[in-house]
Amino acid sequence: YNISASVNPSNSGTVTGAGEYQGGTEVTLTATANEGYGFVNWTEDGDIVSSSSNYSFIVNSDRDLVANFAIERYVISTIVLPVGAGNTTGDGVYSYGETATLIAIENDGYEFVNWTEDEDVVSVNPTYTFTVTSNRTLVANFETMQYEISAVVMPNGAGEISGAGYYDYGALATISVVGNN
């Protein structure tokens, strides 16, 4: 008997085990997905006959089987650190090979630092574009903006000032002046 096996869609994977077999022989067809695809099932005349990539059966007639594959889908997740420092766009579910563009948007008082994944810096640009090939969790890192507060006593030497210096956005700055007698 002739056992034929094909792939759907074309170039999504490979199959082995097809050929001529004597009746009563056990045959195993193996479907292997190409990069970016996942095995779905085996069908014959449009009917599902197996959901295992290794399909074994006893030969008792000619058969024309199709190994069906689907493009892999991946989740791209984002985290903002510190919490409340900003927002991100572009996370979601993507097909293998699609282009994802993540954008980090800073809230007032914060500035974007970088994108990291597993603590490794992957971009220092707030807009990060890449080709999707796996699930990924990326962190948009921000830092609190600092401002310098300076003060001068006029006339010069008339007193001393304390409290000038660098302050984080939203911090309370207290400037004190003590006059010279």
Side-chain angles (χ1 to χ4, degrees), residues 59-141:
V59 174
N60 57 15
S61 65
D62 288 338
R63 296 190 70 182
D64 186 15
L65 296 148
V66 178
N68 298 288
F69 297 90
I71 292 178
E72 292 286 337
R73 307 270 294 157
Y74 297 106
V75 176
I76 304 302
S77 302
T78 59
I79 298 170
V80 172
L81 289 180
V83 173
N87 296 296
T88 62
T89 64
D91 50 350
V93 179
Y94 291 84
S95 294
Y96 177 88
E98 275 191 289
T99 299
T101 299
L102 303 179
I103 300 173
I105 304 158
E106 51 204 30
N107 285 340
D108 288 342
Y110 293 92
E111 58 188 350
F112 176 78
V113 176
N114 58 30
W115 286 101
T116 57
E117 182 174 29
D118 298 324
E119 298 184 18
D120 295 326
V121 175
V122 296
S123 178
V124 294
N125 189 323
T127 301
Y128 176 45
T129 300
F130 58 94
T131 301
V132 176
T133 58
S134 64
N135 292 322
R136 294 182 74 179
T137 300
L138 295 130
V139 179
N141 297 287

Coordinates of all heavy atoms in Angstrom, one line a residue, residues 59-141:
V59 N -1.1 -0.5 8.5 CA -1.4 -0.3 7.1 C -2.4 -1.4 6.7 O -2.2 -2.6 6.8 CB -0.1 -0.4 6.2 CG1 -0.5 -0.3 4.8 CG2 0.8 0.7 6.6
N60 N -3.6 -0.9 6.1 CA -4.5 -1.9 5.5 C -5.1 -1.3 4.2 O -6.1 -1.8 3.7 CB -5.6 -2.3 6.5 CG -6.3 -1.1 7.1 OD1 -6.3 0.0 6.6 ND2 -7.0 -1.3 8.2
S61 N -4.6 -0.1 3.8 CA -5.1 0.5 2.6 C -4.2 1.7 2.2 O -3.3 2.1 3.0 CB -6.5 1.1 2.7 OG -6.5 2.1 3.7
D62 N -4.3 2.2 1.0 CA -3.6 3.4 0.6 C -4.1 4.5 1.5 O -5.3 4.6 1.8 CB -3.9 3.8 -0.9 CG -3.2 2.8 -1.8 OD1 -2.2 2.2 -1.4 OD2 -3.6 2.8 -3.0
R63 N -3.2 5.4 1.9 CA -3.6 6.6 2.7 C -2.9 7.8 2.2 O -1.7 7.8 1.9 CB -3.3 6.3 4.2 CG -4.2 5.2 4.7 CD -4.1 5.0 6.2 NE -4.8 6.1 6.9 CZ -4.9 6.2 8.2 NH1 -4.3 5.3 9.0 NH2 -5.5 7.2 8.8
D64 N -3.6 9.0 2.3 CA -3.0 10.3 1.9 C -3.3 11.2 3.1 O -4.4 11.7 3.3 CB -3.7 10.8 0.7 CG -3.1 12.1 0.2 OD1 -2.0 12.4 0.6 OD2 -3.8 12.8 -0.6
L65 N -2.2 11.4 3.9 CA -2.3 12.1 5.2 C -1.6 13.5 5.1 O -0.7 13.7 4.3 CB -1.6 11.3 6.3 CG -2.4 10.0 6.6 CD1 -1.4 8.9 7.0 CD2 -3.4 10.2 7.6
V66 N -2.1 14.4 5.8 CA -1.6 15.8 5.8 C -1.2 16.2 7.2 O -2.0 16.1 8.2 CB -2.6 16.8 5.3 CG1 -2.1 18.2 5.3 CG2 -3.1 16.4 3.9
A67 N 0.0 16.6 7.4 CA 0.5 17.2 8.7 C 0.2 18.7 8.6 O 0.7 19.4 7.8 CB 2.0 16.9 8.8
N68 N -0.6 19.1 9.6 CA -1.0 20.5 9.6 C -0.2 21.3 10.7 O -0.1 20.8 11.8 CB -2.5 20.7 9.9 CG -3.3 20.0 8.8 OD1 -3.4 20.6 7.7 ND2 -3.9 18.9 9.1
F69 N 0.3 22.5 10.3 CA 1.1 23.3 11.2 C 0.4 24.7 11.3 O -0.3 25.1 10.4 CB 2.5 23.4 10.7 CG 3.2 22.1 10.7 CD1 3.2 21.3 9.5 CD2 4.0 21.7 11.8 CE1 3.9 20.1 9.5 CE2 4.7 20.5 11.7 CZ 4.6 19.7 10.6
A70 N 0.7 25.4 12.3 CA 0.3 26.8 12.4 C 1.4 27.7 12.9 O 2.3 27.2 13.6 CB -0.9 26.9 13.5
I71 N 1.4 28.9 12.5 CA 2.4 29.9 12.9 C 2.3 30.0 14.4 O 1.2 30.2 15.0 CB 2.2 31.2 12.2 CG1 2.5 31.1 10.7 CG2 3.1 32.3 12.9 CD1 2.3 32.4 10.0
E72 N 3.4 30.0 15.1 CA 3.5 30.1 16.6 C 3.1 31.6 16.9 O 3.4 32.5 16.2 CB 4.9 29.9 17.1 CG 5.3 28.4 17.0 CD 4.7 27.5 18.0 OE1 4.2 28.0 19.0 OE2 4.6 26.3 17.7
R73 N 2.4 31.7 18.1 CA 2.0 33.0 18.6 C 2.7 33.2 19.9 O 2.9 32.2 20.7 CB 0.5 33.0 18.8 CG -0.3 32.7 17.6 CD -0.7 33.8 16.7 NE -1.6 34.7 17.3 CZ -1.8 35.9 17.0 NH1 -1.1 36.4 15.9 NH2 -2.6 36.7 17.6
Y74 N 3.2 34.4 20.1 CA 4.0 34.7 21.3 C 3.4 35.9 22.1 O 2.9 36.8 21.4 CB 5.4 34.9 21.0 CG 6.1 33.7 20.4 CD1 6.3 33.6 19.0 CD2 6.4 32.6 21.2 CE1 6.9 32.5 18.5 CE2 7.0 31.5 20.6 CZ 7.2 31.4 19.3 OH 7.8 30.3 18.7
V75 N 3.6 35.9 23.4 CA 3.2 37.0 24.2 C 4.4 37.9 24.5 O 5.4 37.5 25.0 CB 2.5 36.5 25.5 CG1 2.1 37.7 26.4 CG2 1.3 35.7 25.2
I76 N 4.2 39.2 24.2 CA 5.2 40.2 24.6 C 4.6 41.1 25.7 O 3.5 41.7 25.5 CB 5.5 41.1 23.3 CG1 6.0 40.3 22.1 CG2 6.5 42.2 23.7 CD1 7.2 39.4 22.4
S77 N 5.2 41.0 26.9 CA 4.7 41.7 28.1 C 5.7 42.8 28.4 O 6.9 42.7 28.2 CB 4.7 40.7 29.2 OG 3.8 39.7 28.9
T78 N 5.2 43.9 29.1 CA 6.0 44.9 29.6 C 5.7 45.2 31.0 O 4.6 45.0 31.5 CB 5.8 46.2 28.8 OG1 4.4 46.6 28.9 CG2 6.2 46.1 27.3
I79 N 6.7 45.7 31.7 CA 6.6 46.1 33.1 C 7.3 47.5 33.2 O 8.3 47.8 32.5 CB 7.4 45.1 34.0 CG1 6.8 43.7 33.9 CG2 7.5 45.6 35.5 CD1 7.7 42.6 34.6
V80 N 6.7 48.4 34.0 CA 7.3 49.7 34.3 C 7.9 49.7 35.6 O 7.2 49.4 36.6 CB 6.2 50.8 34.1 CG1 6.7 52.1 34.5 CG2 5.6 50.8 32.7
L81 N 9.1 50.2 35.7 CA 9.8 50.3 37.0 C 10.4 51.7 37.1 O 11.1 52.1 36.1 CB 10.9 49.3 37.2 CG 10.4 47.9 37.4 CD1 11.6 46.9 37.6 CD2 9.5 47.8 38.6
P82 N 10.3 52.4 38.2 CA 9.4 52.1 39.3 C 7.9 52.2 38.9 O 7.6 52.9 37.9 CB 9.8 53.1 40.4 CG 10.4 54.2 39.7 CD 11.0 53.7 38.4
V83 N 7.1 51.5 39.6 CA 5.7 51.5 39.3 C 5.2 53.0 39.4 O 5.5 53.7 40.3 CB 4.9 50.7 40.4 CG1 3.4 50.8 40.2 CG2 5.3 49.2 40.3
G84 N 4.4 53.4 38.4 CA 3.8 54.7 38.3 C 4.7 55.7 37.6 O 4.3 56.9 37.4
A85 N 5.9 55.3 37.2 CA 6.9 56.2 36.5 C 6.5 56.5 35.1 O 6.9 57.5 34.5 CB 8.3 55.7 36.6
G86 N 5.7 55.7 34.5 CA 5.3 55.9 33.1 C 4.4 54.8 32.6 O 3.8 54.0 33.4
N87 N 4.2 54.7 31.3 CA 3.4 53.7 30.7 C 4.1 53.2 29.5 O 5.1 53.7 29.0 CB 2.0 54.4 30.2 CG 1.2 54.9 31.4 OD1 0.8 54.1 32.2 ND2 1.1 56.2 31.4
T88 N 3.5 52.1 28.9 CA 4.1 51.5 27.7 C 3.0 51.1 26.7 O 1.8 50.9 27.2 CB 4.9 50.2 28.0 OG1 4.0 49.2 28.6 CG2 6.1 50.4 29.0
T89 N 3.3 51.1 25.5 CA 2.4 50.6 24.4 C 3.1 49.6 23.6 O 4.4 49.5 23.6 CB 1.9 51.8 23.5 OG1 3.1 52.3 22.8 CG2 1.3 52.9 24.3
G90 N 2.4 48.7 23.0 CA 2.9 47.7 22.1 C 3.0 46.3 22.6 O 3.3 45.4 21.8
D91 N 2.7 46.1 23.9 CA 2.7 44.7 24.3 C 1.4 44.0 23.8 O 0.5 44.6 23.4 CB 2.8 44.6 25.9 CG 1.8 45.5 26.6 OD1 1.1 46.3 26.0 OD2 1.7 45.4 27.8
G92 N 1.5 42.7 23.8 CA 0.3 41.9 23.3 C 0.8 40.6 22.7 O 1.9 40.1 22.9
V93 N -0.1 40.0 21.9 CA 0.2 38.7 21.2 C 0.6 38.9 19.8 O -0.1 39.6 19.1 CB -1.0 37.8 21.3 CG1 -0.8 36.4 20.7 CG2 -1.4 37.5 22.8
Y94 N 1.7 38.3 19.4 CA 2.2 38.5 18.0 C 2.5 37.1 17.4 O 2.8 36.1 18.1 CB 3.5 39.2 18.1 CG 3.4 40.7 18.4 CD1 3.4 41.1 19.8 CD2 3.4 41.7 17.4 CE1 3.3 42.4 20.1 CE2 3.3 43.0 17.8 CZ 3.3 43.4 19.1 OH 3.2 44.7 19.4
S95 N 2.4 37.0 16.1 CA 2.8 35.8 15.4 C 4.3 35.8 15.2 O 4.9 36.9 15.1 CB 2.1 35.8 14.0 OG 0.7 35.7 14.1
Y96 N 4.9 34.6 15.1 CA 6.3 34.5 14.8 C 6.7 35.3 13.6 O 6.0 35.3 12.6 CB 6.6 33.0 14.6 CG 8.1 32.8 14.3 CD1 9.0 32.6 15.3 CD2 8.5 32.8 13.0 CE1 10.4 32.4 15.0 CE2 9.9 32.6 12.7 CZ 10.8 32.4 13.7 OH 12.1 32.2 13.4
G97 N 7.8 36.1 13.7 CA 8.3 36.8 12.6 C 7.7 38.2 12.5 O 8.2 39.0 11.7
E98 N 6.6 38.5 13.2 CA 6.0 39.9 13.2 C 7.0 40.9 13.8 O 7.9 40.5 14.6 CB 4.7 39.9 13.9 CG 3.5 39.5 13.1 CD 2.2 39.9 13.8 OE1 1.9 39.2 14.8 OE2 1.5 40.8 13.4
T99 N 6.8 42.1 13.5 CA 7.6 43.2 14.1 C 6.8 43.8 15.3 O 5.7 44.2 15.1 CB 8.0 44.3 13.1 OG1 8.7 43.7 12.1 CG2 8.7 45.4 13.7
A100 N 7.4 43.8 16.4 CA 6.8 44.5 17.6 C 7.5 45.8 17.9 O 8.7 45.9 17.8 CB 6.9 43.6 18.8
T101 N 6.7 46.8 18.2 CA 7.3 48.1 18.5 C 6.8 48.5 19.9 O 5.6 48.7 20.1 CB 7.0 49.2 17.5 OG1 7.5 48.8 16.2 CG2 7.5 50.6 17.9
L102 N 7.7 48.6 20.9 CA 7.3 49.0 22.2 C 7.7 50.5 22.4 O 8.8 50.9 22.0 CB 8.0 48.1 23.3 CG 7.8 46.6 23.2 CD1 8.6 45.9 24.3 CD2 6.3 46.3 23.3
I103 N 6.8 51.2 23.1 CA 7.1 52.6 23.3 C 6.9 52.9 24.8 O 5.9 52.5 25.4 CB 6.2 53.5 22.5 CG1 6.4 53.3 21.0 CG2 6.5 55.0 22.9 CD1 5.4 54.0 20.1
A104 N 8.0 53.5 25.4 CA 7.9 53.8 26.8 C 7.6 55.3 26.9 O 8.2 56.2 26.3 CB 9.3 53.6 27.5
I105 N 6.6 55.6 27.7 CA 6.1 57.0 27.9 C 6.2 57.4 29.3 O 5.6 56.8 30.2 CB 4.6 57.1 27.4 CG1 4.4 56.6 26.0 CG2 4.1 58.5 27.6 CD1 3.0 56.1 25.7
E106 N 7.1 58.5 29.5 CA 7.3 58.9 30.9 C 6.2 59.8 31.5 O 5.7 60.6 30.8 CB 8.7 59.6 31.0 CG 8.9 60.6 30.0 CD 10.3 60.9 29.6 OE1 11.2 60.1 29.6 OE2 10.6 62.1 29.3
N107 N 6.0 59.6 32.8 CA 5.1 60.5 33.5 C 5.9 61.7 33.9 O 7.1 61.7 34.0 CB 4.4 59.8 34.7 CG 3.4 58.8 34.3 OD1 2.8 58.9 33.2 ND2 3.0 57.8 35.1
D108 N 5.1 62.7 34.4 CA 5.8 63.9 34.9 C 6.7 63.6 36.0 O 6.4 62.8 36.9 CB 4.8 64.9 35.4 CG 4.0 65.6 34.3 OD1 4.4 65.6 33.1 OD2 2.9 66.2 34.6
G109 N 7.9 64.2 36.0 CA 8.9 63.9 37.0 C 9.8 62.7 36.8 O 10.6 62.5 37.7
Y110 N 9.6 62.0 35.7 CA 10.5 60.8 35.5 C 11.1 61.0 34.1 O 10.5 61.6 33.2 CB 9.6 59.6 35.5 CG 9.1 59.3 36.9 CD1 7.9 59.7 37.3 CD2 9.9 58.5 37.8 CE1 7.4 59.4 38.6 CE2 9.5 58.2 39.1 CZ 8.2 58.7 39.5 OH 7.8 58.4 40.7
E111 N 12.2 60.3 33.9 CA 12.8 60.2 32.6 C 13.1 58.7 32.3 O 13.5 58.0 33.2 CB 14.0 61.1 32.4 CG 15.1 60.9 33.4 CD 16.2 62.0 33.3 OE1 16.2 62.8 32.4 OE2 17.1 61.9 34.2
F112 N 13.0 58.4 31.0 CA 13.2 57.0 30.6 C 14.7 56.8 30.6 O 15.5 57.6 30.2 CB 12.7 56.8 29.1 CG 13.1 55.5 28.5 CD1 12.3 54.4 28.9 CD2 14.1 55.3 27.7 CE1 12.6 53.1 28.4 CE2 14.5 54.1 27.2 CZ 13.7 53.0 27.5
V113 N 15.1 55.5 31.1 CA 16.5 55.1 31.2 C 16.8 54.1 30.1 O 17.7 54.3 29.3 CB 16.9 54.6 32.6 CG1 18.3 54.1 32.6 CG2 16.6 55.6 33.6
N114 N 16.1 53.0 30.1 CA 16.4 51.9 29.2 C 15.3 50.8 29.2 O 14.5 50.8 30.1 CB 17.8 51.3 29.4 CG 17.9 50.7 30.8 OD1 17.0 50.3 31.5 ND2 19.2 50.8 31.3
W115 N 15.4 49.9 28.2 CA 14.6 48.7 28.2 C 15.5 47.6 28.6 O 16.7 47.5 28.1 CB 14.1 48.3 26.8 CG 12.9 49.2 26.4 CD1 13.0 50.3 25.5 CD2 11.6 49.0 26.7 NE1 11.7 50.8 25.3 CE2 10.8 50.0 26.0 CE3 10.9 48.1 27.5 CZ2 9.5 50.2 26.1 CZ3 9.5 48.3 27.6 CH2 8.8 49.3 26.9
T116 N 15.1 46.7 29.6 CA 15.9 45.5 30.0 C 15.1 44.3 29.8 O 13.8 44.3 29.9 CB 16.4 45.7 31.4 OG1 15.3 45.8 32.3 CG2 17.4 46.8 31.5
E117 N 15.8 43.2 29.7 CA 15.2 41.8 29.7 C 16.1 40.9 30.4 O 17.3 40.9 30.1 CB 15.0 41.3 28.2 CG 14.3 40.0 28.2 CD 14.0 39.6 26.7 OE1 14.7 40.0 25.8 OE2 13.0 38.8 26.6
D118 N 15.6 40.3 31.5 CA 16.5 39.5 32.4 C 17.7 40.3 32.9 O 18.8 39.8 32.9 CB 16.9 38.2 31.7 CG 15.8 37.3 31.3 OD1 14.8 37.2 32.0 OD2 15.9 36.7 30.2
E119 N 17.4 41.6 33.2 CA 18.4 42.5 33.7 C 19.5 42.9 32.7 O 20.4 43.7 33.0 CB 19.1 42.0 35.0 CG 18.0 41.8 36.1 CD 18.6 41.3 37.4 OE1 19.9 41.5 37.6 OE2 17.9 40.8 38.2
D120 N 19.4 42.5 31.4 CA 20.3 42.9 30.4 C 19.7 44.0 29.6 O 18.5 44.0 29.2 CB 20.6 41.8 29.4 CG 21.4 40.6 30.1 OD1 22.2 40.9 31.0 OD2 21.1 39.5 29.7
V121 N 20.4 45.1 29.4 CA 19.9 46.2 28.6 C 19.8 45.8 27.1 O 20.7 45.3 26.5 CB 20.9 47.5 28.7 CG1 20.4 48.6 27.8 CG2 20.9 47.9 30.2
V122 N 18.6 46.0 26.6 CA 18.3 45.7 25.2 C 18.2 46.9 24.3 O 18.3 46.9 23.1 CB 17.1 44.7 25.0 CG1 17.4 43.4 25.6 CG2 15.9 45.3 25.5
S123 N 17.9 48.1 24.9 CA 17.8 49.3 24.2 C 17.8 50.5 25.2 O 17.3 50.4 26.3 CB 16.5 49.4 23.4 OG 16.3 50.6 22.7
V124 N 18.4 51.6 24.7 CA 18.3 52.8 25.5 C 17.4 53.9 24.9 O 17.3 55.0 25.3 CB 19.8 53.4 25.7 CG1 20.6 52.5 26.5 CG2 20.4 53.7 24.3
N125 N 16.7 53.4 23.8 CA 15.7 54.3 23.1 C 14.4 54.0 23.7 O 14.0 52.8 23.8 CB 15.8 54.0 21.6 CG 15.0 55.0 20.8 OD1 14.0 55.4 21.2 ND2 15.6 55.3 19.6
P126 N 13.5 55.0 23.9 CA 12.2 54.7 24.4 C 11.3 53.9 23.4 O 10.4 53.2 23.8 CB 11.5 56.1 24.6 CG 12.6 57.1 24.5 CD 13.8 56.4 23.9
T127 N 11.7 54.0 22.1 CA 11.0 53.2 21.1 C 11.9 52.0 20.8 O 13.0 52.2 20.3 CB 10.7 54.0 19.9 OG1 9.8 55.1 20.2 CG2 10.0 53.2 18.8
Y128 N 11.4 50.8 21.1 CA 12.2 49.6 20.9 C 11.5 48.7 19.9 O 10.3 48.2 20.2 CB 12.5 48.9 22.2 CG 13.2 47.5 22.1 CD1 14.3 47.4 21.3 CD2 12.7 46.4 22.8 CE1 15.0 46.2 21.2 CE2 13.4 45.2 22.7 CZ 14.5 45.1 21.9 OH 15.2 43.9 21.9
T129 N 12.1 48.4 18.7 CA 11.5 47.6 17.7 C 12.3 46.3 17.5 O 13.5 46.4 17.4 CB 11.4 48.4 16.4 OG1 10.6 49.5 16.6 CG2 10.7 47.5 15.3
F130 N 11.6 45.2 17.4 CA 12.3 43.9 17.2 C 11.4 42.9 16.5 O 10.2 43.1 16.4 CB 12.7 43.3 18.6 CG 11.6 43.1 19.6 CD1 11.0 41.9 19.7 CD2 11.2 44.1 20.4 CE1 10.0 41.7 20.6 CE2 10.2 44.0 21.3 CZ 9.5 42.7 21.4
T131 N 12.0 41.8 16.0 CA 11.3 40.7 15.4 C 10.9 39.7 16.4 O 11.8 39.3 17.2 CB 12.1 40.1 14.3 OG1 12.4 41.1 13.3 CG2 11.3 38.9 13.6
V132 N 9.6 39.3 16.5 CA 9.1 38.4 17.5 C 9.5 36.9 17.1 O 9.2 36.5 16.1 CB 7.6 38.5 17.7 CG1 7.1 37.5 18.7 CG2 7.3 39.9 18.1
T133 N 10.2 36.3 18.0 CA 10.6 34.9 17.9 C 10.3 34.0 19.1 O 10.5 32.8 19.1 CB 12.1 34.7 17.5 OG1 12.9 35.3 18.5 CG2 12.4 35.4 16.1
S134 N 9.9 34.7 20.2 CA 9.6 33.9 21.4 C 8.8 34.9 22.4 O 8.6 36.0 22.1 CB 10.9 33.6 22.1 OG 11.6 34.7 22.5
N135 N 8.3 34.3 23.5 CA 7.6 35.1 24.5 C 8.7 35.9 25.1 O 9.9 35.5 25.3 CB 7.0 34.2 25.6 CG 5.9 33.4 25.1 OD1 5.1 33.8 24.3 ND2 5.8 32.1 25.5
R136 N 8.4 37.2 25.4 CA 9.4 38.1 26.1 C 8.7 38.9 27.1 O 7.5 39.3 26.9 CB 10.0 39.0 25.0 CG 10.9 38.2 24.0 CD 11.5 39.1 23.0 NE 12.6 39.9 23.6 CZ 13.4 40.7 23.0 NH1 13.2 41.0 21.7 NH2 14.4 41.4 23.6
T137 N 9.4 39.2 28.2 CA 9.0 40.2 29.2 C 10.1 41.3 29.3 O 11.2 41.0 29.6 CB 8.8 39.5 30.5 OG1 7.7 38.5 30.4 CG2 8.3 40.6 31.6
L138 N 9.7 42.5 28.9 CA 10.6 43.6 28.9 C 10.3 44.6 29.9 O 9.1 44.9 30.2 CB 10.7 44.2 27.5 CG 11.2 43.2 26.5 CD1 10.3 43.1 25.3 CD2 12.6 43.6 26.0
V139 N 11.3 45.2 30.5 CA 11.1 46.2 31.6 C 11.5 47.6 31.1 O 12.6 47.8 30.6 CB 11.9 45.9 32.8 CG1 11.7 46.9 33.9 CG2 11.5 44.5 33.3
A140 N 10.5 48.5 31.2 CA 10.8 49.9 30.9 C 11.3 50.6 32.2 O 10.5 50.7 33.1 CB 9.6 50.6 30.3
N141 N 12.5 51.0 32.2 CA 13.1 51.5 33.4 C 13.2 53.1 33.3 O 13.6 53.6 32.3 CB 14.5 51.0 33.6 CG 14.6 49.5 33.8 OD1 14.2 49.0 34.9 ND2 15.0 48.7 32.8

